[in-house]
Amino acid sequence: MNKHTLLTLIFITLLSFTMQSHANSWKQDRIREGNSEIKIDYRISKLKENNDKQTKIEYELNSIQPISVEQCEALLLDIKSHRVFTDDKESKLIKTIDQDNFLIYYFTDTPWPMKNVDAVLSMSREKDEAGIHFYLKATPDLHPLQKVKRTKQYNSEYHCLYIDDNKSHIRISFNSIPAIKIPKWMLNA
């Protein structure tokens, strides 16, 4: 299984599990794929802020995968490939700030009747003896708004931790408040 297929499987699985529950309590699932196991903790919470009801999506994924830390790093630095595993229509680099900091853009073509969504994110990279770490945070005001809804809260961390030359512990955490209201029928699907 190639690295794009592997990460695509992980994220599609996450999305499907995330959409199945809308309770405030954390749920856990495990998925076996060949010799790999993916553990996912997730929840969808309903929030009310200034009389506005919002949905918060959170998950944490842990898995041991047959991918090196260097391969994981190369994949995450290939911003155009993010769309494959985030299920966005477009992912692109807006600006390289320095060798470890980037401004990136995701565009999501959502199904009717919802409006399309985008996200402008600061992505930073850190290396240490444990592995490589990427941090993505919404920076909605750093790129012109187009005719879409902009995601204002988006935080994600990707940790590729060294086990050996051909195996890594991948830990991904994510929390976001979508820029659009997700219909109940989609949450229950």
Side-chain angles (χ1 to χ4, degrees):
M1 180 181 320
N2 72 38
K3 58 189 174 188
H4 289 277
T5 303
L6 176 66
L7 286 175
T8 299
L9 172 67
I10 290 170
F11 286 103
I12 288 172
T13 303
L14 282 172
L15 186 59
S16 68
F17 281 115
T18 307
M19 298 309 262
Q20 288 177 16
S21 168
H22 56 277
N24 287 334
S25 61
W26 284 89
K27 299 201 182 285
Q28 185 177 88
D29 280 297
R30 293 179 185 269
I31 299 142
R32 289 198 82 39
E33 174 68 30
N35 294 331
S36 301
E37 181 177 71
I38 302 168
K39 178 183 152 219
I40 306 165
D41 295 297
Y42 62 94
R43 74 175 171 181
I44 297 179
S45 307
K46 295 292 185 183
L47 307 174
K48 190 171 183 180
E49 189 173 301
N50 300 330
N51 291 328
D52 186 26
K53 292 180 183 176
Q54 298 177 319
T55 302
K56 183 175 185 180
I57 299 171
E58 301 171 272
Y59 64 77
E60 183 164 315
L61 171 142
N62 283 281
S63 183
I64 307 299
Q65 294 295 326
I67 184 173
S68 71
V69 169
E70 293 77 19
Q71 289 172 313
C72 187
E73 178 181 23
L75 180 64
L76 289 167
L77 286 173
D78 181 10
I79 308 302
K80 286 186 179 184
S81 74
H82 286 205
R83 69 178 188 79
V84 174
F85 57 83
T86 61
D87 200 29
D88 289 309
K89 184 171 184 170
E90 179 182 11
S91 57
K92 67 180 181 180
L93 175 68
I94 297 172
K95 179 181 179 181
T96 299
I97 298 163
D98 61 37
Q99 70 178 13
D100 292 319
N101 293 284
F102 312 88
L103 189 62
I104 64 175
Y105 178 82
Y106 291 167
F107 171 77
T108 307
D109 186 12
T110 55
W112 180 88
M114 296 180 290
K115 195 169 183 175
N116 290 336
V117 175
D118 73 359
V120 177
L121 308 168
S122 295
M123 182 174 86
S124 62
R125 170 179 56 173
E126 294 179 8
K127 292 181 184 183
D128 61 26
E129 64 281 346
I132 188 87
H133 315 276
F134 286 85
Y135 303 93
L136 285 74
K137 183 175 175 69
T139 51
D141 299 327
L142 294 183
H143 190 66
L145 183 62
Q146 306 191 358
K147 294 181 180 180
V148 297
K149 296 285 279 181
R150 172 93 15 113
T151 301
K152 293 182 178 153
Q153 181 178 332
Y154 182 112
N155 296 293
S156 188
E157 297 181 8
Y158 298 80
H159 304 276
C160 299
L161 307 172
Y162 180 81
I163 294 176
D164 64 33
D165 289 343
N166 297 307
K167 195 184 294 181
S168 299
H169 173 190
I170 298 178
R171 187 175 70 233
I172 303 167
S173 62
F174 171 85
N175 75 69
S176 179
I177 296 176
I180 56 174
K181 292 190 187 297
I182 300 172
K184 285 184 183 180
W185 62 268
M186 284 187 83
L187 288 172
N188 294 324

